Amino acid sequence: MPTSRNWSLTGTLQRLSALLANICGYVLLALAVLVTAETLGRKFFNISLQGVDELGGYALAVGSALAFTTALVDRAHIRIELFHVMLPMPLQMALNWFAITSIAAFGGLLAYVCFTILWDSFAYNSTAPTPWATPLIYPQSLWYGGVVIFALVSAVMALHATYLLVTGNGKALNKAYGPKEAAEEVKEELEDLARR
């Protein structure tokens, strides 16, 4: 793994996570504006934009797929850490390695299954059962892109965790892939508050 001062895996993944979170935020903000316009149009002008609910479904699917990666990089997935800190370092290392490699395996499986869905939509020229009759290959491609990003990032993280495990760098492995401790979460919240 590269150890240059100019490059770090953690920094790169955090920048990617921030980018994906921003994309998610803008998509959901645009959806909120459309839903508001739709609601006001129906209430006061008796008109409908038609298809806002369809766009909402696509936005939530793509946003969720992107959020998988953000949650992974930010270590926001739920893990029970009640006894984790009391375990000996080698066992903590093994559990943290197992956790990230399990997520990577799940990411690979998810990418495979989602590809079969995307392929079926392409093969059968599937369209949405809505007035727009949107060809599903387009929104599903964006959704699949988010799933592939998750699968790739989780695979890179699993490889990095394996490297740390094999080289015996337990402290770095536990810091990068272990559950967040309460003190770490409080520190992050205070830093976030100070940035605002």
Side-chain angles (χ1 to χ4, degrees), residues 64-138:
S64 296
L66 295 176
F68 294 163
T69 303
T70 299
L72 179 64
V73 171
D74 294 342
R75 293 174 25 224
H77 289 114
I78 295 172
R79 287 186 58 190
I80 308 301
E81 62 144 337
L82 182 62
F83 299 110
H84 190 271
V85 293
M86 293 185 259
L87 298 173
M89 174 75 83
L91 190 52
Q92 285 183 17
M93 288 172 56
L95 288 173
N96 292 331
W97 175 83
F98 180 72
I100 190 63
T101 53
S102 296
I103 289 175
F106 173 73
L109 177 65
L110 187 63
Y112 169 74
V113 171
C114 291
F115 178 76
T116 63
I117 294 169
L118 184 66
W119 183 257
D120 285 347
S121 292
F122 173 74
Y124 296 114
N125 282 336
S126 300
T127 59
T130 62
W132 284 5
T134 306
L136 289 178
I137 190 72
Y138 300 120

